[in-house]
Amino acid sequence: MTTVEPMASDVADLVRNTLSAHKSMFLATSGSDGPWVGGVYFAESGPFTLNLVLEDRGRTLAAVRENPVVSVVVSTGSPMQPFLQAQALAEVVPADDDALVRDLLVAKVPEAGPFLAAPVTAVRLSVRKWRATDIPNGWLPGRELPGPLPGPRHP
C-alpha cells in the first residue's frame, strides 16, 4: 500500500462527506459515574459544529453537565471504511436555540422525530479538530483537520 500525503482540502472533503453520510455517532463522556459511550443522532451545521439531543435523566447528559469535554467517533464500525474521531466541547444550548437544534436534527434524521417528543435537552458540540482515517487510501495514521480559532459559535 502506497501512502500519498493528502492535501488539506482532501481531509476537509473526507470530513464533510463522512459527516453528511452518517446520521449517528458514538459520544464518549466522563462524569462522576465514570466514562460512558452512547450512540446519538446528530446533525452538523458546518464541519466543526454538531447538534444533538440527550435524554434529560440520562447518564450522558449528567456527565456532559459535570465535564463538557467529550469525544466522538463517526464510523460505520468497520476500520476499513473512512471514519472520524474528535474531541469536542459540549454545551447545553440556550432555550432560544433549542428549536433550531431540533429542526436541524429532524431535517437530517427524520426518524428522530418521535425521540424529540421525549424529555430531551438540546446540546451542541464544538469540535476542536478532526482526525480522519481512511486505511484503504493509506491514511494511517489519520490526518488532522484543525478547527477554527476559539470564539463565538453559531449554528
Side-chain angles (χ1 to χ4, degrees), residues 11 15 19 25 27-28 46-50 64 66-73 84-91 124-132 143-151 153:
V11 179
V15 166
L19 289 173
M25 66 181 178
L27 175 65
F48 297 98
T49 304
L50 306 177
V64 162
E66 287 180 37
N67 177 7
V69 177
V70 300
S71 293
V72 301
V73 175
L84 306 176
Q85 298 168 285
Q87 190 176 78
L89 187 61
E91 66 172 317
R124 184 171 293 130
L125 305 183
S126 298
V127 173
R128 296 172 178 178
K129 66 182 170 186
W130 283 109
R131 183 174 191 84
R143 305 302 189 257
E144 291 188 353
L145 180 65
L149 296 174
R153 305 296 283 191

Short mmCIF file of all heavy atoms in Angstrom, two decimals, residues 11 15 19 25 27-28 46-50 64 66-73 84-91 124-132 143-151 153:
data_model
loop_
_atom_site.label_atom_id
_atom_site.label_comp_id
_atom_site.label_asym_id
_atom_site.label_seq_id
_atom_site.Cartn_x
_atom_site.Cartn_y
_atom_site.Cartn_z
N VAL A 11 -8.64 16.28 3.14
CA VAL A 11 -9.06 15.94 4.51
C VAL A 11 -10.39 16.63 4.81
O VAL A 11 -11.32 16.00 5.33
CB VAL A 11 -7.98 16.33 5.54
CG1 VAL A 11 -8.44 15.99 6.95
CG2 VAL A 11 -6.66 15.64 5.22
N VAL A 15 -13.92 14.76 5.74
CA VAL A 15 -14.68 15.09 6.96
C VAL A 15 -16.10 15.46 6.58
O VAL A 15 -17.08 14.91 7.12
CB VAL A 15 -13.99 16.22 7.75
CG1 VAL A 15 -14.92 16.81 8.81
CG2 VAL A 15 -12.69 15.72 8.38
N LEU A 19 -19.39 13.15 7.55
CA LEU A 19 -20.45 13.70 8.39
C LEU A 19 -21.81 13.62 7.69
O LEU A 19 -22.80 13.21 8.29
CB LEU A 19 -20.15 15.15 8.78
CG LEU A 19 -19.02 15.35 9.78
CD1 LEU A 19 -18.73 16.84 9.94
CD2 LEU A 19 -19.34 14.70 11.12
N MET A 25 -23.58 8.77 15.67
CA MET A 25 -22.17 8.68 16.05
C MET A 25 -22.11 8.14 17.46
O MET A 25 -23.13 8.05 18.16
CB MET A 25 -21.50 10.04 15.96
CG MET A 25 -22.03 11.04 16.94
SD MET A 25 -21.22 12.64 16.77
CE MET A 25 -22.10 13.57 18.01
N LEU A 27 -20.74 8.90 21.20
CA LEU A 27 -20.37 10.03 22.04
C LEU A 27 -19.83 9.49 23.36
O LEU A 27 -20.54 8.76 24.06
CB LEU A 27 -21.59 10.92 22.28
CG LEU A 27 -21.43 12.10 23.23
CD1 LEU A 27 -20.44 13.11 22.68
CD2 LEU A 27 -22.78 12.75 23.49
N ALA A 28 -18.59 9.82 23.68
CA ALA A 28 -17.95 9.38 24.92
C ALA A 28 -17.90 10.54 25.89
O ALA A 28 -17.47 11.64 25.54
CB ALA A 28 -16.55 8.86 24.63
N GLY A 46 -22.09 22.78 9.76
CA GLY A 46 -20.69 23.09 9.48
C GLY A 46 -19.84 21.93 9.97
O GLY A 46 -20.28 21.12 10.79
N PRO A 47 -18.62 21.84 9.49
CA PRO A 47 -17.78 20.69 9.82
C PRO A 47 -17.32 20.63 11.28
O PRO A 47 -16.84 19.58 11.72
CB PRO A 47 -16.60 20.81 8.87
CG PRO A 47 -16.55 22.24 8.49
CD PRO A 47 -17.97 22.73 8.53
N PHE A 48 -17.47 21.71 12.03
CA PHE A 48 -16.97 21.71 13.40
C PHE A 48 -18.06 21.93 14.44
O PHE A 48 -17.76 22.13 15.62
CB PHE A 48 -15.86 22.77 13.55
CG PHE A 48 -14.68 22.47 12.69
CD1 PHE A 48 -14.53 23.10 11.45
CD2 PHE A 48 -13.74 21.54 13.06
CE1 PHE A 48 -13.45 22.80 10.63
CE2 PHE A 48 -12.66 21.23 12.24
CZ PHE A 48 -12.52 21.87 11.02
N THR A 49 -19.33 21.87 14.02
CA THR A 49 -20.44 22.06 14.96
C THR A 49 -21.45 20.95 14.75
O THR A 49 -22.00 20.79 13.65
CB THR A 49 -21.11 23.43 14.74
OG1 THR A 49 -20.13 24.45 14.87
CG2 THR A 49 -22.21 23.66 15.76
N LEU A 50 -21.67 20.16 15.80
CA LEU A 50 -22.61 19.05 15.76
C LEU A 50 -23.75 19.31 16.74
O LEU A 50 -23.50 19.74 17.87
CB LEU A 50 -21.91 17.74 16.13
CG LEU A 50 -20.65 17.41 15.32
CD1 LEU A 50 -20.02 16.12 15.84
CD2 LEU A 50 -20.95 17.31 13.84
N VAL A 64 -22.08 15.27 30.74
CA VAL A 64 -21.78 16.50 29.99
C VAL A 64 -21.87 17.71 30.92
O VAL A 64 -21.05 18.63 30.82
CB VAL A 64 -22.74 16.64 28.78
CG1 VAL A 64 -22.77 18.07 28.26
CG2 VAL A 64 -22.33 15.68 27.68
N GLU A 66 -21.30 17.77 34.08
CA GLU A 66 -20.17 17.73 35.00
C GLU A 66 -18.85 18.04 34.30
O GLU A 66 -17.98 18.70 34.87
CB GLU A 66 -20.04 16.34 35.64
CG GLU A 66 -21.10 16.04 36.66
CD GLU A 66 -20.89 14.63 37.24
OE1 GLU A 66 -19.73 14.22 37.45
OE2 GLU A 66 -21.90 13.96 37.48
N ASN A 67 -18.70 17.51 33.09
CA ASN A 67 -17.45 17.65 32.35
C ASN A 67 -17.79 17.81 30.87
O ASN A 67 -18.06 16.81 30.20
CB ASN A 67 -16.56 16.42 32.58
CG ASN A 67 -15.27 16.49 31.79
OD1 ASN A 67 -14.95 17.49 31.16
ND2 ASN A 67 -14.53 15.39 31.80
N PRO A 68 -17.75 19.02 30.34
CA PRO A 68 -18.18 19.24 28.96
C PRO A 68 -17.20 18.79 27.88
O PRO A 68 -17.51 18.89 26.70
CB PRO A 68 -18.40 20.75 28.91
CG PRO A 68 -17.46 21.30 29.93
CD PRO A 68 -17.41 20.27 31.02
N VAL A 69 -16.05 18.27 28.27
CA VAL A 69 -15.10 17.77 27.27
C VAL A 69 -15.51 16.34 26.93
O VAL A 69 -15.56 15.47 27.80
CB VAL A 69 -13.65 17.82 27.78
CG1 VAL A 69 -12.69 17.23 26.74
CG2 VAL A 69 -13.26 19.25 28.11
N VAL A 70 -15.82 16.11 25.65
CA VAL A 70 -16.30 14.81 25.19
C VAL A 70 -15.47 14.36 23.99
O VAL A 70 -14.69 15.14 23.44
CB VAL A 70 -17.80 14.89 24.78
CG1 VAL A 70 -18.66 15.33 25.97
CG2 VAL A 70 -18.01 15.82 23.59
N SER A 71 -15.66 13.11 23.60
CA SER A 71 -15.03 12.59 22.38
C SER A 71 -16.12 11.96 21.53
O SER A 71 -17.13 11.49 22.04
CB SER A 71 -13.98 11.53 22.72
OG SER A 71 -12.89 12.13 23.39
N VAL A 72 -15.88 11.98 20.21
CA VAL A 72 -16.84 11.40 19.28
C VAL A 72 -16.13 10.51 18.26
O VAL A 72 -14.95 10.72 17.96
CB VAL A 72 -17.67 12.47 18.53
CG1 VAL A 72 -18.43 13.35 19.51
CG2 VAL A 72 -16.81 13.32 17.63
N VAL A 73 -16.88 9.53 17.76
CA VAL A 73 -16.43 8.70 16.65
C VAL A 73 -17.59 8.63 15.67
O VAL A 73 -18.72 8.28 16.05
CB VAL A 73 -16.05 7.27 17.10
CG1 VAL A 73 -15.72 6.40 15.90
CG2 VAL A 73 -14.89 7.29 18.08
N LEU A 84 -14.09 9.12 11.44
CA LEU A 84 -13.65 10.35 12.07
C LEU A 84 -13.60 10.18 13.58
O LEU A 84 -14.44 9.49 14.16
CB LEU A 84 -14.61 11.50 11.76
CG LEU A 84 -14.92 11.78 10.29
CD1 LEU A 84 -15.96 12.89 10.19
CD2 LEU A 84 -13.66 12.14 9.54
N GLN A 85 -12.64 10.86 14.20
CA GLN A 85 -12.54 10.92 15.65
C GLN A 85 -12.27 12.37 16.02
O GLN A 85 -11.61 13.10 15.26
CB GLN A 85 -11.38 10.06 16.15
CG GLN A 85 -11.53 8.59 15.84
CD GLN A 85 -10.22 7.85 16.10
OE1 GLN A 85 -9.28 7.96 15.32
NE2 GLN A 85 -10.16 7.12 17.20
N ALA A 86 -12.79 12.78 17.19
CA ALA A 86 -12.54 14.15 17.63
C ALA A 86 -12.79 14.29 19.11
O ALA A 86 -13.53 13.51 19.71
CB ALA A 86 -13.43 15.13 16.87
N GLN A 87 -12.20 15.32 19.65
CA GLN A 87 -12.53 15.80 20.98
C GLN A 87 -13.34 17.07 20.76
O GLN A 87 -13.07 17.83 19.82
CB GLN A 87 -11.27 16.10 21.78
CG GLN A 87 -11.55 16.37 23.24
CD GLN A 87 -10.26 16.56 24.02
OE1 GLN A 87 -9.68 17.62 23.95
NE2 GLN A 87 -9.83 15.54 24.74
N ALA A 88 -14.34 17.30 21.60
CA ALA A 88 -15.20 18.46 21.43
C ALA A 88 -15.59 19.02 22.79
O ALA A 88 -15.46 18.36 23.82
CB ALA A 88 -16.46 18.07 20.65
N LEU A 89 -16.10 20.22 22.75
CA LEU A 89 -16.65 20.88 23.93
C LEU A 89 -18.17 20.87 23.78
O LEU A 89 -18.69 21.36 22.78
CB LEU A 89 -16.12 22.31 24.04
CG LEU A 89 -16.46 23.05 25.32
CD1 LEU A 89 -15.89 22.33 26.54
CD2 LEU A 89 -15.93 24.46 25.26
N ALA A 90 -18.85 20.29 24.75
CA ALA A 90 -20.31 20.18 24.70
C ALA A 90 -20.93 21.32 25.51
O ALA A 90 -20.43 21.66 26.58
CB ALA A 90 -20.75 18.84 25.29
N GLU A 91 -22.01 21.86 24.97
CA GLU A 91 -22.75 22.88 25.72
C GLU A 91 -24.24 22.63 25.54
O GLU A 91 -24.72 22.33 24.45
CB GLU A 91 -22.40 24.29 25.27
CG GLU A 91 -22.84 24.62 23.86
CD GLU A 91 -22.66 26.09 23.49
OE1 GLU A 91 -22.98 26.97 24.30
OE2 GLU A 91 -22.21 26.32 22.36
N ARG A 124 -25.01 21.18 21.82
CA ARG A 124 -24.18 21.49 20.65
C ARG A 124 -22.73 21.15 21.00
O ARG A 124 -22.23 21.49 22.08
CB ARG A 124 -24.30 22.97 20.32
CG ARG A 124 -23.53 23.37 19.07
CD ARG A 124 -23.86 24.79 18.63
NE ARG A 124 -25.24 24.87 18.19
CZ ARG A 124 -26.12 25.79 18.61
NH1 ARG A 124 -25.76 26.71 19.46
NH2 ARG A 124 -27.35 25.79 18.16
N LEU A 125 -22.07 20.47 20.07
CA LEU A 125 -20.65 20.13 20.24
C LEU A 125 -19.81 21.01 19.33
O LEU A 125 -20.09 21.13 18.14
CB LEU A 125 -20.40 18.67 19.87
CG LEU A 125 -21.21 17.59 20.58
CD1 LEU A 125 -20.74 16.21 20.13
CD2 LEU A 125 -21.14 17.73 22.08
N SER A 126 -18.78 21.60 19.89
CA SER A 126 -17.80 22.38 19.13
C SER A 126 -16.53 21.54 19.03
O SER A 126 -15.84 21.33 20.02
CB SER A 126 -17.50 23.71 19.84
OG SER A 126 -18.67 24.49 19.93
N VAL A 127 -16.28 21.04 17.83
CA VAL A 127 -15.13 20.16 17.60
C VAL A 127 -13.86 21.00 17.50
O VAL A 127 -13.82 21.98 16.77
CB VAL A 127 -15.35 19.33 16.31
CG1 VAL A 127 -14.11 18.54 15.94
CG2 VAL A 127 -16.57 18.42 16.48
N ARG A 128 -12.84 20.58 18.19
CA ARG A 128 -11.56 21.30 18.18
C ARG A 128 -10.76 20.99 16.93
O ARG A 128 -10.17 21.86 16.31
CB ARG A 128 -10.76 20.93 19.43
CG ARG A 128 -11.46 21.37 20.70
CD ARG A 128 -10.78 20.86 21.92
NE ARG A 128 -11.49 21.38 23.10
CZ ARG A 128 -11.17 21.08 24.31
NH1 ARG A 128 -10.14 20.28 24.55
NH2 ARG A 128 -11.84 21.58 25.32
N LYS A 129 -10.71 19.71 16.58
CA LYS A 129 -10.06 19.27 15.34
C LYS A 129 -10.52 17.85 15.06
O LYS A 129 -10.82 17.08 15.98
CB LYS A 129 -8.53 19.34 15.42
CG LYS A 129 -7.91 18.38 16.41
CD LYS A 129 -6.41 18.55 16.46
CE LYS A 129 -5.86 17.76 17.65
NZ LYS A 129 -4.45 17.99 17.84
N TRP A 130 -10.60 17.52 13.80
CA TRP A 130 -10.97 16.17 13.39
C TRP A 130 -9.72 15.36 13.08
O TRP A 130 -8.74 15.90 12.58
CB TRP A 130 -11.83 16.20 12.13
CG TRP A 130 -13.25 16.61 12.37
CD1 TRP A 130 -13.84 17.78 12.00
CD2 TRP A 130 -14.26 15.83 13.00
NE1 TRP A 130 -15.15 17.79 12.38
CE2 TRP A 130 -15.45 16.61 12.99
CE3 TRP A 130 -14.30 14.57 13.59
CZ2 TRP A 130 -16.64 16.16 13.55
CZ3 TRP A 130 -15.48 14.11 14.14
CH2 TRP A 130 -16.63 14.90 14.11
N ARG A 131 -9.79 14.08 13.34
CA ARG A 131 -8.78 13.12 12.88
C ARG A 131 -9.52 12.19 11.93
O ARG A 131 -10.42 11.45 12.35
CB ARG A 131 -8.17 12.35 14.03
CG ARG A 131 -7.08 11.41 13.58
CD ARG A 131 -6.41 10.79 14.80
NE ARG A 131 -5.22 10.08 14.44
CZ ARG A 131 -4.02 10.62 14.27
NH1 ARG A 131 -3.87 11.91 14.41
NH2 ARG A 131 -2.99 9.88 13.96
N ALA A 132 -9.17 12.25 10.66
CA ALA A 132 -9.82 11.45 9.62
C ALA A 132 -8.91 10.29 9.24
O ALA A 132 -7.74 10.51 8.91
CB ALA A 132 -10.11 12.32 8.40
N ARG A 143 -5.31 11.70 9.39
CA ARG A 143 -4.89 13.07 9.09
C ARG A 143 -5.76 14.04 9.86
O ARG A 143 -6.96 13.82 10.00
CB ARG A 143 -4.99 13.36 7.59
CG ARG A 143 -4.22 12.40 6.70
CD ARG A 143 -2.73 12.38 7.06
NE ARG A 143 -1.96 11.63 6.09
CZ ARG A 143 -1.50 10.40 6.27
NH1 ARG A 143 -1.76 9.76 7.38
NH2 ARG A 143 -0.79 9.80 5.34
N GLU A 144 -5.18 15.12 10.33
CA GLU A 144 -5.92 16.09 11.14
C GLU A 144 -6.45 17.25 10.31
O GLU A 144 -5.80 17.69 9.36
CB GLU A 144 -5.04 16.61 12.28
CG GLU A 144 -4.77 15.53 13.30
CD GLU A 144 -4.08 16.06 14.55
OE1 GLU A 144 -3.67 17.24 14.58
OE2 GLU A 144 -3.94 15.26 15.49
N LEU A 145 -7.62 17.70 10.72
CA LEU A 145 -8.23 18.90 10.16
C LEU A 145 -8.51 19.82 11.34
O LEU A 145 -9.43 19.59 12.12
CB LEU A 145 -9.53 18.58 9.42
CG LEU A 145 -10.24 19.79 8.80
CD1 LEU A 145 -9.38 20.42 7.70
CD2 LEU A 145 -11.60 19.39 8.27
N PRO A 146 -7.67 20.86 11.53
CA PRO A 146 -7.87 21.75 12.68
C PRO A 146 -9.13 22.57 12.53
O PRO A 146 -9.52 22.96 11.43
CB PRO A 146 -6.63 22.66 12.67
CG PRO A 146 -5.86 22.34 11.45
CD PRO A 146 -6.52 21.20 10.73
N GLY A 147 -9.77 22.81 13.67
CA GLY A 147 -10.98 23.64 13.69
C GLY A 147 -10.64 25.11 13.68
O GLY A 147 -9.46 25.50 13.72
N PRO A 148 -11.68 25.93 13.64
CA PRO A 148 -11.46 27.38 13.69
C PRO A 148 -10.95 27.80 15.05
O PRO A 148 -11.03 27.04 16.02
CB PRO A 148 -12.85 27.94 13.42
CG PRO A 148 -13.80 26.87 13.83
CD PRO A 148 -13.07 25.56 13.58
N LEU A 149 -10.41 28.97 15.10
CA LEU A 149 -9.94 29.50 16.37
C LEU A 149 -11.12 29.65 17.32
O LEU A 149 -12.24 29.90 16.89
CB LEU A 149 -9.26 30.86 16.17
CG LEU A 149 -8.00 30.83 15.33
CD1 LEU A 149 -7.49 32.25 15.07
CD2 LEU A 149 -6.93 30.00 16.01
N PRO A 150 -10.88 29.51 18.64
CA PRO A 150 -11.98 29.64 19.59
C PRO A 150 -12.65 31.01 19.47
O PRO A 150 -12.01 32.00 19.17
CB PRO A 150 -11.29 29.51 20.96
CG PRO A 150 -9.99 28.84 20.67
CD PRO A 150 -9.61 29.21 19.26
N GLY A 151 -13.92 31.01 19.69
CA GLY A 151 -14.73 32.23 19.61
C GLY A 151 -16.18 31.87 19.64
O GLY A 151 -16.53 30.71 19.85
N ARG A 153 -19.72 30.56 18.72
CA ARG A 153 -20.14 29.52 17.79
C ARG A 153 -21.57 29.82 17.35
O ARG A 153 -22.39 30.20 18.16
CB ARG A 153 -20.10 28.14 18.43
CG ARG A 153 -18.76 27.77 19.03
CD ARG A 153 -17.72 27.67 17.99
NE ARG A 153 -17.89 26.41 17.29
CZ ARG A 153 -17.04 25.93 16.47
NH1 ARG A 153 -15.95 26.59 16.19
NH2 ARG A 153 -17.23 24.79 15.85
#
